Amino acid sequence: MICPDCHNYLDETNKFCTSCNWKCEIRDDIPIYLSSHDNKDETFQRYLLNYDEISEDDLHTSIQDTEYLQIQNEKLFSYIPPVKGLAVCEIGVGKGLLLQHIKKEGPQKLVGIDISIPYLKTIKHNEGIDLIVANAENLPYENEFDIIIAADIIEHVFNIGDFLYCVQRALKPGGCFVVKTPNDEDINIYSRKRGCKYNFVHLRNFNKQTLKTVLTGAGFNIEKVIYDGFYAYR
């Protein structure tokens, strides 16, 4: 693991950076790997509170149809390369549905990352899964994972370039990145003026070409694009 502040390697036993003195915070038994800048930045703190609100609402009454979510996670899992014996990371774990599928296949290491403590608290007692809070645009890993999955995350981040740079850095050479995002979505539905209660939801939309452009621009080689799933009411 690397320091969120100076990006030198951490003393993982003590979760401490000997270069800049950054130290990991523990909250509700969950390690918090946020940089000093993120902890001080008012916009990012509003972003955190926003997603705590979304996750608490979602845990109380599922925002998406639960059967649809289960089917989509099963389909997404079927597209991921075999994980047995590999180091795997999911960014944006939500309720942990995909993590459970991956865990059953026996990865050598399984890490789940989210910025929402309410989500992580509901799944923190699962043995064999390491859970942390981290900013997707400043992942505290280098050359660590064989496979990284980010389902419905890339449309949420502030800076796509930072996010994809950090994914590249966290992957081992030849590693695989599996990314899922809505296709050509009308993001007017997230307008506060039109009734959306949250400040930050989907900040942009993608189609096949724009997604390929940002991925290849970040240095990824695209092996496959799959269209899957549909919201009839949208």
Side-chain angles (χ1 to χ4, degrees):
M1 298 188 75
I2 58 175
C3 173
D5 277 4
C6 71
H7 302 145
N8 286 307
Y9 288 107
L10 292 174
D11 176 341
E12 291 195 42
T13 301
N14 299 308
K15 296 181 171 61
F16 177 76
C17 180
T18 57
S19 298
C20 73
N21 296 325
W22 178 91
K23 186 171 178 58
C24 178
E25 176 189 355
I26 306 293
R27 194 181 310 159
D28 294 311
D29 296 324
I30 299 168
I32 313 292
Y33 285 87
L34 294 177
S35 69
S36 299
H37 177 270
D38 284 341
N39 282 322
K40 295 175 182 177
D41 185 83
E42 291 184 7
T43 301
F44 187 74
Q45 289 303 308
R46 288 173 54 222
Y47 189 78
L48 285 178
L49 291 172
N50 176 81
Y51 280 98
D52 280 351
E53 181 184 5
I54 289 175
S55 60
E56 287 169 352
D57 289 348
D58 190 31
L59 290 167
H60 182 265
T61 303
S62 185
I63 293 174
Q64 294 179 304
D65 179 81
T66 54
E67 184 178 3
Y68 177 83
L69 280 176
Q70 189 64 44
I71 291 169
Q72 282 300 294
N73 276 282
E74 290 171 0
K75 287 184 176 182
L76 178 59
F77 178 73
S78 74
Y79 307 141
I80 298 170
V83 300
K84 186 175 178 61
L86 300 183
V88 182
C89 173
E90 184 186 6
I91 303 169
V93 299
K95 299 175 184 176
L97 299 178
L98 184 63
L99 282 177
Q100 295 303 321
H101 287 292
I102 297 170
K103 178 184 173 182
K104 292 175 184 177
E105 298 302 311
Q108 177 265 325
K109 177 176 185 174
L110 180 57
V111 174
I113 298 174
D114 211 297
I115 60 168
S116 168
I117 287 182
Y119 276 144
L120 296 177
K121 284 170 64 176
T122 66
I123 56 177
K124 70 178 181 180
H125 299 298
N126 282 273
E127 293 185 7
I129 304 175
D130 297 326
L131 299 173
I132 71 167
V133 171
N135 183 352
E137 300 168 49
N138 191 25
L139 299 173
Y141 294 98
E142 183 174 48
N143 193 28
E144 183 71 13
F145 299 108
D146 300 288
I147 301 172
I148 293 178
I149 305 119
D152 301 304
I153 296 300
I154 193 170
E155 67 273 14
H156 290 267
V157 300
F158 284 136
N159 191 307
I160 296 175
D162 287 349
F163 169 55
L164 295 178
Y165 173 87
C166 289
V167 171
Q168 281 273 22
R169 183 176 62 189
L171 280 170
K172 296 176 183 179
C176 177
F177 179 39
V178 180
V179 58
K180 173 176 176 280
T181 188
N183 175 58
D184 206 19
E185 179 186 34
D186 178 5
I187 58 176
N188 281 298
I189 61 174
Y190 306 113
S191 165
R192 294 297 301 272
K193 306 295 186 185
R194 295 174 184 267
C196 180
K197 64 180 290 190
Y198 307 113
N199 286 315
F200 305 104
V201 194
H202 295 183
L203 305 181
R204 63 192 63 81
N205 66 1
F206 291 94
N207 56 35
K208 180 178 179 179
Q209 185 55 54
T210 55
L211 184 61
K212 290 178 72 173
T213 296
V214 296
L215 291 174
T216 55
F220 291 97
N221 296 314
I222 297 174
E223 296 185 355
K224 185 182 294 186
V225 177
I226 300 169
Y227 291 95
D228 198 352
F230 184 74
Y231 267 130
Y233 66 87
R234 289 189 185 178

